[in-house]
Amino acid sequence: LAKTTQPISMDSYEGQEVNITCSHNNIATNDYITWYQQFPSQGPRFIIQGYKTKVTNEVASLFIPADRKSSTLSLPRVSLSDTAVYYCLVGPLSGGSYIPTFGRGTSLIVHP
Amino acid sequence: EPEVTQTPSHQVTQMGQEVILRCVPISNHLYFYWYRQILGQKVEFLVSFYNNEISEKSEIFDDQFSVERPDGSNFTLKIRSTKLEDSAMYFCASSEEHRELIGGGKGYTFGSGTRLTVV
């Protein structure tokens, strides 16, 4: 199971772009990368998912280099409401027994 | 947007009592999950459920825990004899496909959780 490493916390200001990088050095060939957001006292919420290169949706972009040993979640022009914990998860779509695991995540605080 | 609904939002129970946490997953989803999060700790996987049986479970999910889908809409987590350390937020989640937490494009949909306090 690929282990992920993220910064424990980040600070930003309203209107700035925020990039959160996740390291997953032992990612396997069939592993996908998924990011979730969690507000206090709420369940995690799916943000974005990718396998390689770049993925963009209405909320964020996900950049994955060719070696896939890391990925970067990019949040454009953050607002106060983006203050949350962001989790990077890596795992296979199929094959074998798999128990989904959340790490500690990155606590993002957006300041006025 | 479809939601996963959990009840109650808060539950206080005495140590040793049985509790049942209830969840209504999204109607066309086939896979169901329970997670818990102790205050200030990580989100921990408990169990996954498909086709009326447990498909995977973690070490946390011991004999004190059980899950059931008693009808076509509800999905329940029962803790038989609660302990102080069972105090946590319990999240239900559902997905159309297995392992949408990773892969599948849509991820899991989580409920807002039940805060369980064991006193």
Side-chain angles (χ1 to χ4, degrees):
Chain A
L1 193 66
K3 184 176 183 296
T4 60
T5 303
Q6 302 175 234
I8 294 173
S9 63
M10 292 182 70
D11 289 88
S12 184
Y13 292 88
E14 282 191 292
Q16 289 190 335
E17 178 184 79
V18 171
N19 296 308
I20 305 174
T21 296
C22 178
S23 297
H24 28 80
N25 289 318
N26 60 338
I27 190 169
T29 303
N30 59 340
D31 283 347
Y32 280 72
I33 300 154
T34 310
W35 286 80
Y36 279 76
Q37 174 192 57
Q38 186 182 26
F39 298 114
S41 298
Q42 292 189 29
R45 185 175 76 100
F46 172 85
I47 302 175
I48 198 166
Q49 181 181 86
Y51 183 80
K52 61 181 179 180
T53 63
K54 177 184 173 183
V55 181
T56 297
N57 62 21
E58 64 276 7
V59 176
S61 294
L62 178 60
F63 298 92
I64 306 168
D67 66 6
R68 303 200 327 123
K69 292 183 184 299
S70 66
S71 58
T72 299
L73 174 72
S74 182
L75 305 172
R77 297 181 298 282
V78 294
S79 63
L80 296 177
S81 62
D82 292 316
T83 293
V85 178
Y86 293 82
Y87 299 96
C88 162
L89 280 79
V90 172
L93 177 61
S94 63
S97 177
Y98 171 67
I99 293 180
T101 305
F102 284 83
R104 291 254 176 224
T106 297
S107 177
L108 172 66
I109 298 175
V110 179
H111 302 276
Chain B
E1 189 173 327
E3 290 183 344
V4 173
T5 305
Q6 290 188 243
T7 55
S9 56
H10 292 88
Q11 172 102 38
V12 180
T13 188
Q14 289 198 326
M15 192 167 53
Q17 295 295 306
E18 174 183 283
V19 295
I20 297 176
L21 310 183
R22 303 181 191 278
C23 169
V24 179
I26 293 174
S27 60
N28 65 329
H29 283 185
L30 301 176
Y31 298 87
F32 314 112
Y33 314 86
W34 283 100
Y35 285 77
R36 79 172 186 191
Q37 186 173 32
I38 296 169
L39 187 65
Q41 304 291 319
K42 296 187 286 187
V43 177
E44 300 175 295
F45 171 78
L46 293 178
V47 66
S48 59
F49 190 87
Y50 169 71
N51 200 26
N52 284 320
E53 62 182 28
I54 291 172
S55 48
E56 286 161 346
K57 61 181 181 179
S58 71
E59 291 179 353
I60 302 169
F61 194 88
D62 61 21
D63 292 343
Q64 294 283 63
F65 292 89
S66 62
V67 289
E68 195 177 39
R69 188 153 162 83
D71 53 43
S73 60
N74 291 286
F75 180 50
T76 62
L77 174 69
K78 182 192 290 186
I79 309 175
R80 289 192 183 81
S81 178
T82 50
K83 302 187 279 283
L84 295 176
E85 54 264 38
D86 293 326
S87 295
M89 283 288 285
Y90 287 81
F91 296 109
C92 173
S94 67
S95 66
E96 289 183 38
E97 299 288 339
H98 188 38
R99 299 190 183 168
E100 275 209 54
L101 191 74
I102 303 291
K106 299 178 185 177
Y108 290 4
T109 302
F110 284 80
S112 295
T114 293
R115 182 176 298 282
L116 176 66
T117 302
V118 182
V119 297

